Amino acid sequence: MASVHESLYFNPMMTNGVVHANVFGIKDWVTPYKIAVLVLLNEMSRTGEGAVSLLERRRLNQLLLPLLQGPDITLSKLYKLIEESCPQLANSVQIRIKLMAEGELKDMEQFFDDLSDSFSGTEPEVHKTSVVGLFLRHMILAYSKLSFSQVFKLYTALQQYFQNGEKKTVEDADMELTGRDEGERKMEKEELDVSVREEEVSCSGPLSQKQAEFFLSQQASLLKNDETKALTPASLQKELNNLLKFNPDFAEAHYLSYLNNLRVQDVFSSTHSLLHYFDRLILTGAESKSNGEEGYGRSLRYAALNLAALHCRFGHYQQAELALQEAIRIAQESNDHVCLQHCLSWLYVLGQKRSDSYVLLEHSVKKAVHFGLPYLASLGIQSLVQQRAFAGKTANKLMDALKDSDLLHWKHSLSELIDISIAQKTAIWRLYGRSTMALQQAQMLLSMNSLEAVNAGVQQNNTESFAVALCHLAELHAEQGCFAAASEVLKHLKERFPPNSQHAQLWMLCDQKIQFDRAMNDGKYHLADSLVTGITALNGIEGVYRKAVVLQAQNQMSEAHKLLQKLLVYCQKLKNTEMVISVLLSVAELYWRSSSPTIALPMLLQALALSKEYRLQYLASETVLNLAFAQLILGIPEQALSLLHMAIEPILADGAILDKGRAMFLVAKCQVASAASYDQPKKAEALEAAIENLNEAKNYFAKVDCKERIRDVLYFQARLYHSLGKTQERNRCAMLFRQLHQELPAHGVPLINHL
């Protein structure tokens, strides 16, 4: 957010007993709360070092900065804050304020006269240039400029402030005597936090310039780094409207309103606030002061650029392109290369679906390096790596490119981009099917501490990068059957990113997908079908694909086939290769479940060619698995076994638990089919090996609670035990099969045709 400029001022007025000095452009004024803080500072200087312990003094020093910078708070709350740090000093402050409020006006006059003594002497108690010294000087100056009537109003406001504080203290004491439960005490303690809270901001009249600057910078920082600690959208908008009521030309308040409206996806209000921000920036003349005659044009071109970014965020690409053209035109007229570089980056974002977009991106990176814009250069490299990953480039080249961008990040301390880079590595490893490497990168990001110092002790851990890493972590755990761990990760995500936050859609989709997979594994197709609506709302392509999967599981083959064909055409148009391969595999499965394996083969070969071309190792292994199954159905199990040896190693190393079970089950089927032509001793040995593989497959299926596939394994085992003459083992498997068969619906297709 742009820094608050020096021309900011508030209209002189008196609201809620707060006296504003009638000085144009004054940065601060005296309020009853600030008199109470001055009393605290005075008492701290009068108290000897022996009277207050070192720990208490340290707590007081930590308390001072929020008290000086933050908004006015009630007297009772101030007492409690001081009492938590130093009970002895809290009592002294209370007595001093009581004597001043219950005394006469001359007592307040004398107090301000005595404040000047803090700077006198060879070793003054307070240095003039320190934070406390500057605050004292501002207060003394503001008080000296008040007229007599304003001084009287200030004293009256102080008396009212004291009386309200006394009433609140008495009420709190009565509540403690009547006995409150432990939960209410904890709630009260949370309300005493010195960070900006809703009740603190609204307890007084308009904020001074210093308080407004602190409030805006703190909220903007929280919105960027830790949205959960910022005020709620409604409360923040209420406070911003209050600020703008007293000073409509407060440009930075309009910008924070723009950021706040983005949180709730309010396109009209965010556009309105953004335009008002640049209008006020031009009206105040701040841009002209810092940039000469170019200030006016600079505001216009960056207004158009920000408007283009806003429209792009909401998917209004035509309006975004028009705004971007306007920004480029003004930037070219002014010869502003920095603005043109930003425009070039957004041109790529708008046209990244075009085949020649990588040329635009490479040009953007070179220009950004030339003009010394490391942030833009790094973002360009990240986008280039992402594009090359989807184009099927080798992982080592992509990691080398990311290594170069990491050097830029560490050199210029771009901590946010370091996080993005690691999150991107996690996504690339998952795309290529290397779950172990993806897990390592996600954990590396989560274990990193922020390099950026953020106000109010906030760690930079609530950004989009962390949300992406946590979602990958949840999905990876769910794939390995660790559903309890995945639930813990999702629970943590929900706490970090509440439903109204801007990155909440990431964990919502992740949660829906995990629930869907669990429902499908458990054979609860009606539950899976109900989850499709939620997935479609968050990701249309994913939702349609999963709807087809449900229809296929429910044996509605014609409806599933129509849906998959439409989705295939759409994904081919979008060049969504990963989804194209998944759809081809599902269509192939439809064909062999309809007893047409020969028609499935061209589909599988097309999927294999695509996965090899784009280096999607895991999808390639899954395709080979499906090809082996097709060959088994066609009656060539030996060829199927040789194919399986190619695919099974990557699946067992990086595959999901369900796919490991499917692979071992298929190996057992191929072994049994191949053993048909063997002599009796060799056949018995082959069947024993198949039973071992079936046991391993059953253990894998049990981890993901896939009862339907466990039933198939038990059926197969019972048949094999019967062939080997092992009656006891056969009966045990048959009994377990019968229990599951009564619990689950029948397939409607032969068991041999189910992979």
Side-chain angles (χ1 to χ4, degrees):
M1 191 176 81
S3 59
V4 177
H5 43 80
E6 291 299 320
S7 63
L8 172 66
Y9 70 94
F10 292 89
N11 297 329
M13 62 184 69
M14 177 176 173
T15 311
N16 294 341
V18 181
V19 179
H20 299 243
N22 191 13
V23 180
F24 180 83
I26 192 166
K27 290 186 178 182
D28 224 334
W29 50 75
V30 186
T31 66
Y33 162 74
K34 288 174 183 172
I35 292 176
V37 175
L38 289 171
V39 170
L40 170 63
L41 294 171
N42 192 251
E43 286 296 321
M44 285 177 66
S45 64
R46 291 172 59 182
T47 306
E49 292 185 6
V52 179
S53 67
L54 183 62
L55 181 61
E56 288 176 335
R57 188 166 289 277
R58 186 178 299 163
R59 287 175 183 166
L60 286 168
N61 290 338
Q62 289 176 339
L63 177 65
L64 277 180
L65 194 60
L67 292 180
L68 296 179
Q69 292 183 326
D72 294 3
I73 60 176
T74 61
L75 188 59
S76 60
K77 196 169 293 183
L78 179 63
Y79 286 155
K80 288 175 182 176
L81 288 172
I82 301 170
E83 192 174 2
E84 285 179 356
S85 302
C86 180
Q88 177 190 346
L89 197 64
N91 190 43
S92 303
V93 170
Q94 190 171 4
I95 293 170
R96 189 85 179 273
I97 294 174
K98 183 177 181 180
L99 291 172
M100 191 187 301
E102 292 181 348
E104 298 178 357
L105 181 59
K106 65 179 182 180
D107 295 328
M108 188 176 74
E109 287 275 1
Q110 185 62 42
F111 172 72
F112 276 95
D113 290 340
D114 295 341
L115 282 179
S116 302
D117 297 338
S118 304
F119 304 110
S120 60
T122 53
E123 293 184 3
E125 298 168 355
V126 180
H127 292 283
K128 290 184 176 181
T129 55
S130 67
V131 175
V132 174
L134 288 170
F135 177 73
L136 288 173
R137 288 164 64 192
H138 284 158
M139 290 298 101
I140 293 169
L141 179 62
Y143 183 78
S144 65
K145 291 186 176 181
L146 294 177
S147 63
F148 178 76
S149 61
Q150 289 174 326
V151 170
F152 180 75
K153 287 178 181 178
L154 176 61
Y155 185 69
T156 307
L158 176 64
Q159 290 177 320
Q160 187 64 41
Y161 182 69
F162 170 74
Q163 289 168 9
N164 292 338
E166 287 293 300
K167 287 178 184 176
K168 187 71 168 62
T169 306
V170 171
E171 288 173 5
D172 289 347
D174 290 341
M175 287 179 70
E176 286 177 6
L177 289 172
T178 54
R180 294 170 298 172
D181 57 29
E182 191 67 25
E184 287 177 336
R185 286 198 202 97
K186 286 181 180 177
M187 190 181 298
E188 182 188 55
K189 185 166 180 65
E190 288 173 1
E191 286 173 354
L192 297 179
D193 190 5
V194 293
S195 63
V196 178
R197 300 296 181 108
E198 297 171 24
E199 65 270 16
E200 290 181 359
V201 177
S202 57
C203 80
S204 66
L207 303 177
S208 68
Q209 178 180 339
K210 292 287 185 184
Q211 290 173 326
E213 288 177 2
F214 177 71
F215 172 71
L216 292 178
S217 63
Q218 186 188 54
Q219 292 299 312
S221 176
L222 289 171
L223 286 182
K224 178 186 175 186
N225 301 296
D226 195 353
E227 195 177 331
T228 55
K229 293 183 181 177
L231 295 180
T232 61
S235 302
L236 181 55
Q237 195 59 46
K238 181 182 176 183
E239 297 308 326
L240 290 172
N241 291 341
N242 188 41
L243 280 175
L244 293 169
K245 181 174 69 175
F246 297 121
N247 186 5
D249 294 335
F250 196 173
E252 282 67 26
H254 285 290
Y255 192 83
L256 188 58
S257 176
Y258 156 69
L259 295 178
N260 189 43
N261 285 310
L262 279 182
R263 295 164 73 189
V264 293
Q265 305 294 310
D266 187 346
V267 61
F268 174 77
S269 299
S270 53
T271 307
H272 179 79
S273 297
L274 182 65
L275 295 176
H276 270 288
Y277 166 70
F278 283 101
D279 287 346
R280 294 322 189 267
L281 209 60
I282 295 168
L283 286 173
T284 54
E287 287 293 309
S288 298
K289 284 182 182 178
S290 57
N291 298 284
E293 293 180 0
E294 286 297 316
Y296 180 81
R298 186 176 187 274
S299 291
L300 286 179
R301 55 184 175 266
Y302 278 101
L305 180 61
N306 277 273
L307 194 61
L310 177 66
H311 283 305
C312 187
R313 175 168 182 154
F314 286 106
H316 307 153
Y317 298 116
Q318 190 174 359
Q319 293 94 320
E321 196 167 346
L322 290 172
L324 197 58
Q325 288 173 1
E326 181 69 12
I328 292 170
R329 185 185 62 78
I330 303 173
Q332 285 176 336
E333 289 176 0
S334 307
N335 203 25
D336 187 345
H337 295 290
V338 175
C339 184
L340 284 170
Q341 275 309 112
H342 282 89
C343 293
L344 191 59
S345 300
W346 280 104
L347 266 179
Y348 162 73
V349 173
L350 289 173
Q352 57 185 319
K353 298 298 180 185
R354 296 201 303 261
S355 58
D356 61 341
S357 61
Y358 73 94
V359 178
L360 197 66
L361 192 55
E362 287 177 349
H363 183 64
S364 171
V365 173
K366 290 176 184 175
K367 283 288 186 181
V369 172
H370 176 72
F371 290 113
L373 302 170
Y375 194 93
L376 270 184
S378 176
L379 280 179
I381 294 171
Q382 301 277 357
S383 300
L384 203 57
V385 166
Q386 189 181 74
Q387 191 184 58
R388 296 285 171 85
F390 289 131
K393 300 297 179 183
T394 55
N396 62 326
K397 291 182 179 179
L398 299 181
M399 294 303 156
D400 284 342
L402 285 174
K403 183 185 70 177
D404 295 338
S405 71
D406 286 342
L407 290 175
L408 273 177
H409 304 156
W410 292 106
K411 182 179 178 182
H412 298 281
S413 298
L414 301 172
S415 57
E416 184 183 352
L417 292 182
I418 293 171
D419 297 344
I420 292 173
S421 176
I422 297 175
Q424 180 127 287
K425 289 175 187 174
T426 306
I428 288 171
W429 284 123
R430 279 207 74 195
L431 178 70
Y432 286 163
R434 300 297 180 92
S435 60
T436 308
M437 292 300 296
L439 190 65
Q440 181 195 48
Q441 291 294 328
Q443 290 174 339
M444 184 189 298
L445 176 57
L446 297 177
S447 63
M448 278 185 63
N449 291 322
S450 172
L451 299 177
E452 182 179 346
V454 185
N455 291 335
V458 178
Q459 293 296 319
Q460 189 178 352
N461 55 4
N462 277 20
T463 54
E464 186 179 12
S465 308
F466 276 82
V468 169
L470 284 167
C471 286
H472 280 304
L473 209 57
E475 289 180 354
L476 287 167
H477 278 91
E479 284 176 1
Q480 299 306 316
C482 304
F483 294 114
S487 297
E488 285 297 318
V489 174
L490 285 168
K491 181 182 175 183
H492 185 64
L493 269 164
K494 292 171 186 177
E495 291 172 358
R496 277 196 178 187
F497 305 93
N500 62 348
S501 61
Q502 54 184 334
H503 304 311
Q505 289 187 359
L506 294 170
W507 65 256
M508 286 178 180
L509 180 60
C510 175
D511 189 19
Q512 295 278 317
K513 284 162 69 175
I514 291 173
Q515 287 185 49
F516 178 89
D517 291 336
R518 291 194 70 177
M520 290 296 295
N521 292 343
D522 206 18
K524 297 176 180 176
Y525 304 135
H526 63 285
L527 179 59
D529 196 21
S530 67
L531 292 167
V532 167
T533 308
I535 296 173
T536 308
L538 296 165
N539 187 326
I541 294 175
E542 190 75 33
V544 173
Y545 172 70
R546 289 179 186 260
K547 178 65 177 177
V549 170
V550 173
L551 290 172
Q552 182 177 327
Q554 292 173 336
N555 293 321
Q556 299 180 37
M557 300 301 181
S558 57
E559 292 87 347
H561 186 264
K562 289 175 185 176
L563 208 57
L564 286 169
Q565 287 295 337
K566 289 179 182 177
L567 184 60
L568 182 62
V569 173
Y570 183 70
C571 291
Q572 285 173 337
K573 184 181 177 182
L574 290 179
K575 296 183 179 179
N576 187 345
T577 311
E578 196 176 2
M579 185 54 74
V580 166
I581 295 170
S582 298
V583 172
L584 286 171
L585 293 178
S586 294
V587 172
E589 187 176 351
L590 276 176
Y591 285 136
W592 73 55
R593 288 184 67 170
S594 304
S595 302
S596 304
T598 50
I599 306 175
L601 283 174
M603 295 283 182
L604 292 172
L605 291 172
Q606 186 183 350
L608 184 61
L610 282 172
S611 55
K612 292 284 187 185
E613 181 186 349
Y614 289 92
R615 303 180 192 278
L616 305 176
Q617 176 190 296
Y618 188 68
L619 283 173
S621 301
E622 196 174 341
T623 307
V624 172
L625 202 67
N626 282 273
L627 273 170
F629 187 71
Q631 289 180 332
L632 174 64
I633 296 173
L634 290 170
I636 42 176
E638 295 83 3
Q639 186 67 28
L641 263 177
S642 63
L643 264 180
L644 274 173
H645 289 307
M646 293 169 50
I648 201 163
E649 185 180 340
I651 289 175
L652 293 178
D654 295 299
I657 287 289
L658 183 64
D659 292 330
K660 291 177 184 179
R662 290 170 60 209
M664 297 310 298
F665 193 16
L666 183 56
V667 168
K669 287 180 181 179
C670 292
Q671 287 174 330
V672 172
S674 301
S677 58
Y678 297 169
D679 55 11
Q680 193 59 36
K682 194 176 179 183
K683 182 178 180 180
E685 187 181 341
L687 294 183
E688 289 286 355
I691 289 172
E692 287 297 319
N693 288 329
L694 286 172
N695 281 327
E696 190 174 348
K698 185 169 66 176
N699 291 334
Y700 284 135
F701 292 145
K703 285 183 180 179
V704 290
D705 198 25
C706 191
K707 295 177 182 177
E708 191 175 292
R709 294 180 187 275
I710 293 173
R711 178 184 64 177
D712 296 349
V713 171
L714 288 169
Y715 170 81
F716 220 73
Q717 278 186 318
R719 294 288 300 271
L720 294 180
Y721 280 130
H722 180 73
S723 300
L724 293 170
K726 296 183 177 181
T727 309
Q728 188 176 354
E729 289 85 351
R730 180 203 67 188
N731 291 342
R732 181 176 54 83
C733 290
M735 181 190 68
L736 293 172
F737 168 80
R738 184 180 178 184
Q739 289 174 354
L740 287 174
H741 192 64
Q742 288 173 344
E743 182 182 340
L744 298 171
H747 277 303
V749 291
L751 286 169
I752 192 67
N753 285 0
H754 186 71
L755 175 56

